[in-house]
Amino acid sequence: DGGITQSPKYLFRKEGQNVTLSCEQNLNHDAMYWYRQDPGQGLRLIYYSQIVNDFQKGDIAEGYSVSREKKESFPLTVTSAQKNPTAFYLCASSMPGLGYEQYFGPGTRLTVT
Amino acid sequence: AQTVTQSQPEMSVQEAETVTLSCTYDTSESDYYLFWYKQPPSRQMILVIRQEAYKQQNATENRFSVNFQKAAKSFSLKISDSQLGDAAMYFCAYRLYFGNEKLTFGTGTRLTIIP
């Protein structure tokens, strides 16, 4: 089955620790995205990548980092510099170009205490 | 910058009835896409319907249809014959037709279906 996997579903970390969220897709999509979702807010774009070895900052990139070494994988690292990291994180992918919608993974709930 | 506004944080509808969710957006562009996404309790985002701004005809997908008013920058979602499985958060989203595929989301409307 083609799709996007995010692991783990729930993640707990202590304040001051970096943590990496996994996102893998087997849809052969070129573009991948990371969104953050907070209660009462819509999804906000953290980073996106339209091609391997290239990525751009989204609206709320501070305190986050990404890499795109393989087409299938787009891991997100939440660093200790992120002031309020507790949130629900969604990964998405799409074919670049006109009209292609984004497909979303099941998400990871990160709790930092 | 583009913004998307959903002014109804919560809505409820009787099963089998019709409900309309509102969305307005602000953009200076003329070519763009609009989407409605559904997020059920599982939190998986699911595309419900898509509208291209250059098309005057309103998009329809089974029980879901939109009322796209480009001049008014309004994009409402109508759900007919509401079913229990329609209960979810619904997000309106915008993206440019050209350029990067960044989606800008509204804050969502929580839809409750009353049996």
Side-chain angles (χ1 to χ4, degrees):
Chain A
D1 278 281
I4 302 173
T5 57
Q6 292 184 244
S7 60
K9 190 171 180 65
Y10 299 96
L11 192 53
F12 298 88
R13 280 294 183 271
K14 294 289 187 185
E15 195 173 324
Q17 293 179 336
N18 291 354
V19 59
T20 298
L21 281 60
S22 167
C23 177
E24 304 277 334
Q25 54 98 1
N26 61 4
L27 299 168
N28 200 32
H29 286 170
D30 290 310
M32 297 187 73
Y33 315 80
W34 274 106
Y35 293 91
R36 171 182 171 136
Q37 185 177 22
D38 294 285
Q41 297 194 39
L43 280 67
R44 293 181 292 167
L45 183 66
I46 304 172
Y47 268 99
Y48 64 102
S49 167
Q50 294 185 316
I51 197 169
V52 174
N53 293 322
D54 186 48
F55 47 83
Q56 289 79 39
K57 292 182 179 180
D59 298 320
I60 55 165
E62 185 175 348
Y64 299 97
S65 66
V66 294
S67 63
R68 187 85 187 278
E69 297 176 2
K70 298 187 299 181
K71 187 176 184 177
E72 304 79 24
S73 178
F74 191 41
L76 173 74
T77 297
V78 184
T79 74
S80 57
Q82 167 52 232
K83 299 284 186 241
N84 186 17
T86 295
F88 187 64
Y89 291 88
L90 283 156
C91 178
S93 70
S94 73
M95 290 298 291
L98 304 179
Y100 290 107
E101 70 261 29
Q102 293 183 16
Y103 292 85
F104 285 81
T108 292
R109 170 66 183 178
L110 173 64
T111 302
V112 177
T113 58
Chain B
Q2 292 81 21
T3 59
V4 177
T5 301
Q6 293 179 252
S7 59
Q8 305 156 315
E10 297 184 358
M11 293 279 287
S12 61
V13 63
Q14 206 80 31
E15 193 177 0
E17 296 296 308
T18 296
V19 65
T20 298
L21 308 184
S22 301
C23 173
T24 58
Y25 57 95
D26 187 25
T27 183
S28 58
E29 304 290 337
S30 59
D31 295 316
Y32 49 86
Y33 290 96
L34 295 164
F35 304 85
W36 278 99
Y37 277 88
K38 169 184 177 181
Q39 188 180 42
S42 67
R43 305 199 77 171
Q44 176 80 51
M45 295 287 283
I46 302 164
L47 179 68
V48 174
I49 201 164
R50 174 180 66 196
Q51 174 79 41
E52 291 90 337
Y54 66 86
K55 289 186 177 179
Q56 293 189 348
Q57 186 173 5
N58 289 324
T60 299
E61 287 287 342
N62 301 314
R63 297 182 295 107
F64 299 88
S65 62
V66 298
N67 183 3
F68 173 50
Q69 302 288 329
K70 191 172 184 179
K73 297 180 182 175
S74 171
F75 183 59
S76 61
L77 174 69
K78 185 172 83 171
I79 306 174
S80 303
D81 185 26
S82 297
Q83 300 175 359
L84 293 177
D86 295 334
M89 283 288 289
Y90 286 82
F91 291 96
C92 179
Y94 162 103
R95 60 155 277 196
L96 282 171
Y97 191 78
F98 297 102
N100 73 66
E101 292 85 18
K102 170 190 168 182
L103 282 172
T104 301
F105 286 86
T107 52
T109 296
R110 182 175 301 281
L111 178 65
T112 300
I113 310 296
I114 303 167

